[in-house]
Amino acid sequence: MTSKSSSHHVFIMMGVSGSGKSAVANQVSYQLKTAFLDGDFLHPRANIVKMAEGHPLNDDDRRPWLQSLNDAAFAMQRTNDISIVVCSALKKSYRDILRKDNDNLSFIYMKGDFATIEARLKARKGHFFKTQMLVTQFETLEEPGADEPDVLVVDISHPLDEVVASTIATIEGAINKD
């Protein structure tokens, strides 16, 4: 059994594609000198092949991947004061898998509206973007509610440096609260 403490905390940066999870997580991790993991790196080979062939993943495809991320978060919180993991975690059931037996885990929901995220995705250089992909992400998203007190919210409608600063303040606030 693990207990909550102010150290060894994992924060999962969650949200739809284009919400800035990776960009913010990279900068926050650098500034706070944390461990960092892009959750996509833990997809099993079958998922990578399926996505490369243009097929969307289903919940059965995601389950072993989410369990791998849960295990990684457990290992990270045992060896690092602060760790950041990037994972969309769009459904509550996905977040439940990630939080299982990881008492020092919180989510940071990178919250933004469709228009803001669509504009950012369209502005990305060298990035293939279809509006329908974002529509699907928003359709899948189960926004965290009051029944998920371990989810912290960061408004992404501001410039990157402000979102990074807000995320750092959110992390520091969560750690100091413990």
Side-chain angles (χ1 to χ4, degrees), residues 15 30-31 34 40 48 64 81-82 92 97 125 135 140 145 152 169:
Y30 175 77
Q31 289 184 34
T34 71
D40 284 345
I48 294 168
D81 288 336
I82 301 172
K92 183 180 185 300
I97 292 170
K125 301 268 190 266
V135 168
T140 303
L152 311 166

Side-chain angles (χ1 to χ4, degrees), residues 139-154:
E139 288 172 348
T140 303
L141 175 64
E142 295 173 2
E143 281 203 305
D147 61 329
E148 294 184 87
D150 59 351
V151 179
L152 311 166
V153 179
V154 171

Side-chain angles (χ1 to χ4, degrees), residues 61-107:
D61 297 325
R62 286 187 181 92
R63 197 167 291 109
W65 169 64
L66 291 164
Q67 186 56 55
S68 293
L69 281 170
N70 173 283
D71 291 343
F74 178 78
M76 292 172 86
Q77 77 183 12
R78 296 191 50 84
T79 57
N80 301 286
D81 288 336
I82 301 172
S83 301
I84 296 175
V85 177
V86 173
C87 173
S88 57
L90 297 178
K91 292 184 178 182
K92 183 180 185 300
S93 61
Y94 302 167
R95 296 187 292 274
D96 288 343
I97 292 170
L98 294 168
R99 66 172 54 101
K100 185 177 183 343
D101 297 325
N102 283 326
D103 295 331
N104 287 354
L105 183 141
S106 299
F107 295 87

Side-chain angles (χ1 to χ4, degrees), residues 8-176:
H8 303 285
H9 205 101
V10 175
F11 293 91
I12 297 187
M13 305 287 286
M14 63 159 288
V16 299
S17 293
S19 61
K21 297 180 302 288
S22 295
V24 173
N26 274 306
Q27 293 222 11
V28 169
S29 182
Y30 175 77
Q31 289 184 34
L32 294 179
K33 297 174 179 43
T34 71
F36 174 80
L37 173 65
D38 184 330
D40 284 345
F41 293 151
L42 294 184
H43 271 293
R45 180 182 306 264
N47 286 8
I48 294 168
V49 169
K50 188 172 183 177
M51 290 184 290
E53 292 172 349
H55 304 292
L57 301 179
N58 60 38
D59 287 355
D60 290 334
D61 297 325
R62 286 187 181 92
R63 197 167 291 109
W65 169 64
L66 291 164
Q67 186 56 55
S68 293
L69 281 170
N70 173 283
D71 291 343
F74 178 78
M76 292 172 86
Q77 77 183 12
R78 296 191 50 84
T79 57
N80 301 286
D81 288 336
I82 301 172
S83 301
I84 296 175
V85 177
V86 173
C87 173
S88 57
L90 297 178
K91 292 184 178 182
K92 183 180 185 300
S93 61
Y94 302 167
R95 296 187 292 274
D96 288 343
I97 292 170
L98 294 168
R99 66 172 54 101
K100 185 177 183 343
D101 297 325
N102 283 326
D103 295 331
N104 287 354
L105 183 141
S106 299
F107 295 87
I108 299 178
Y109 173 33
M110 308 302 290
K111 183 175 180 159
D113 63 39
F114 187 92
T116 299
I117 296 171
E118 180 182 37
R120 289 181 181 174
L121 285 170
K122 285 181 176 178
R124 281 187 182 174
K125 301 268 190 266
H127 185 268
F128 179 73
F129 170 70
K130 285 187 177 175
T131 300
Q132 185 55 42
M133 291 166 50
L134 186 58
V135 168
T136 302
Q137 291 266 299
F138 270 93
E139 288 172 348
T140 303
L141 175 64
E142 295 173 2
E143 281 203 305
D147 61 329
E148 294 184 87
D150 59 351
V151 179
L152 311 166
V153 179
V154 171
D155 177 3
I156 64 154
S157 65
H158 307 286
L160 179 61
D161 59 336
E162 290 179 35
V163 175
V164 168
S166 178
T167 303
I168 289 171
T170 298
I171 288 171
E172 290 174 341
I175 290 171
N176 292 331

